Amino acid sequence: MNFYGESCENLEQTVQDITWAKVQADATMAPKLLRLHYHDCFVRGCDASILIDPKDGKNTTEKFAPPNRSVAGYEVIDEIKNTLKTQCPKTEVSCADILALSARDAVSFQSKRPLWPVYTGRRDGRVSVASEASRDLPAGSSNFTTLSKLFARFRLDDTDLVTLSGAHTIGVTHCTFIFRRLYNFTGKGDTDPAFDPVFAKELKKRCPPRASILPIAVDLDSHSALSFDSNYYNSISTNKGVLSSDAALLTNPASAALVAKFKNFNNFIEAFAKSMVKMGSLNVLTGKKGEIRQNCRVINK
């Protein structure tokens, strides 16, 4: 904690100030920054490798993998990095630390208090491969067994799976990712029976058949997509989870019990804090590993 306390004492306040200003101006920035952190940590660990642009101009780095093409928020990380370079010119601050802090601060904007502790001192990775992102990131179409095995690879258990899925209480997905659930679940022009029928009809209105090729967004939490609360679990409990991976949480007795428990916000946020610390510690680079990028989008020469 407070890794930069002596070398750049106002660092964490600066990150918070910029992040809160961005979220205040655009409420959709909170889920974007949280998702950016998630997608970074699940590939090579929390090393800011998702921020790297390809050297050859081709779509070879993580940010251009299919699961990441709709990820956003890069410009916020850039602004924070540039501001800190001016404020603390003698201190090297990692892009990985900036990303972890801004993700937390984006979510904490509503409550005006930190929701989980962020340990700092990470270093930045030098490798970013699109195929690894496609392989390692959880898919919205995954069933519970697949999700459980994927999380276990990162030393995250089923409690972490159910808890971190709660990030879907904010943000959106796109119609293309739920088109099969709505219109061709088993290849026979049917709708996923796990959907509440009335809710499925509502989604079909938002995602008409032509939406499979259009960038139409749908709230992941149909009742409060801009509020970090526990309503996501209420939605799942009534078969109104938007993604297959949301509905999958009811297919395992233990995870279904956690869904019921996390309908209470205090239970959810306590567990979420613990799981975010675990996720934020995945395969971090410290000591002399990696580097501290001067530009978050470019590996040092």
Side-chain angles (χ1 to χ4, degrees), residues 175-176 178-179 182-183 200-214 216-218:
C175 291
T176 184
I178 61 173
F179 190 79
L182 290 175
Y183 293 105
K201 290 181 179 179
E202 292 177 1
L203 285 178
K204 287 180 179 179
K205 290 179 181 178
R206 300 176 201 168
C207 297
R210 62 186 178 85
S212 63
I213 58 173
L214 297 175
I216 299 176
V218 177

Side-chain angles (χ1 to χ4, degrees), residues 3 40 73 118 146 158-159 199 262 288:
F3 179 81
D40 178 48
V118 174
T146 299
D158 289 349
T159 298
F199 184 59
F262 292 156
K288 295 184 179 180

Side-chain angles (χ1 to χ4, degrees), residues 24-286:
Q24 184 174 31
D26 176 7
T28 67
M29 188 55 67
K32 289 174 182 176
L33 289 171
L34 182 59
R35 187 180 181 215
L36 190 61
H37 183 42
Y38 263 65
H39 283 226
D40 178 48
C41 290
F42 269 90
V43 184
R44 291 187 169 265
C46 309
D47 65 350
S49 54
I50 194 174
L51 306 178
I52 298 173
D53 286 326
K55 289 183 178 180
D56 56 9
K58 298 179 181 179
N59 298 342
T60 53
T61 58
E62 290 173 36
K63 66 168 59 177
F64 294 104
N68 288 336
R69 288 175 183 166
S70 60
V71 172
Y74 299 103
E75 68 283 358
V76 177
I77 307 303
D78 292 337
E79 180 175 337
I80 294 171
K81 177 73 170 182
N82 292 332
T83 301
L84 291 173
K85 287 171 69 174
T86 300
Q87 288 185 353
C88 303
K90 296 182 179 181
T91 301
E92 291 187 318
V93 181
S94 74
C95 303
D97 278 342
I98 292 172
L99 180 51
L101 287 166
S102 63
R104 189 271 310 277
D105 292 340
V107 175
S108 71
F109 173 74
Q110 291 177 323
S111 62
K112 297 296 186 289
R113 62 183 175 89
L115 295 179
W116 63 87
V118 174
Y119 295 93
T120 42
R122 301 168 181 78
R123 289 170 65 84
D124 301 323
R126 291 179 53 84
V127 177
S128 183
V129 182
S131 61
E132 293 183 351
S134 296
R135 178 193 67 197
D136 293 340
L137 286 167
S141 59
S142 299
N143 60 31
F144 185 84
T145 300
T146 299
L147 290 169
S148 180
K149 289 181 178 178
L150 179 59
F151 272 61
R153 286 175 53 192
F154 298 100
R155 302 183 302 280
L156 297 171
D157 58 27
D158 289 349
T159 298
D160 298 312
L161 165 57
V162 179
T163 304
L164 292 173
S165 295
H168 287 174
T169 191
I170 53 176
V172 300
T173 187
H174 288 85
C175 291
T176 184
F177 295 112
I178 61 173
F179 190 79
R180 183 174 178 180
R181 286 195 77 196
L182 290 175
Y183 293 105
N184 200 27
F185 186 62
T186 64
K188 300 179 180 179
D190 55 342
T191 301
D192 184 353
F195 264 136
D196 172 83
V198 175
F199 184 59
K201 290 181 179 179
E202 292 177 1
L203 285 178
K204 287 180 179 179
K205 290 179 181 178
R206 300 176 201 168
C207 297
R210 62 186 178 85
S212 63
I213 58 173
L214 297 175
I216 299 176
V218 177
D219 291 341
L220 285 166
D221 180 345
S222 59
H223 296 290
S224 55
L226 294 177
S227 175
F228 197 83
D229 53 32
S230 58
N231 191 65
Y232 166 79
Y233 297 102
N234 290 311
S235 296
I236 293 178
S237 297
T238 55
N239 298 315
K240 295 177 182 177
V242 175
L243 299 173
S244 292
S245 58
D246 297 327
L249 301 183
L250 292 181
T251 64
N252 174 277
S255 68
L258 286 171
V259 168
K261 177 181 178 180
F262 292 156
K263 287 193 289 185
N264 178 291
F265 180 73
N266 290 330
N267 292 338
F268 164 56
I269 200 61
E270 180 181 356
F272 192 76
K274 294 177 181 178
S275 291
M276 284 299 296
V277 171
K278 287 179 68 175
M279 189 194 77
S281 302
L282 290 178
N283 301 328
V284 297
L285 302 175
T286 57

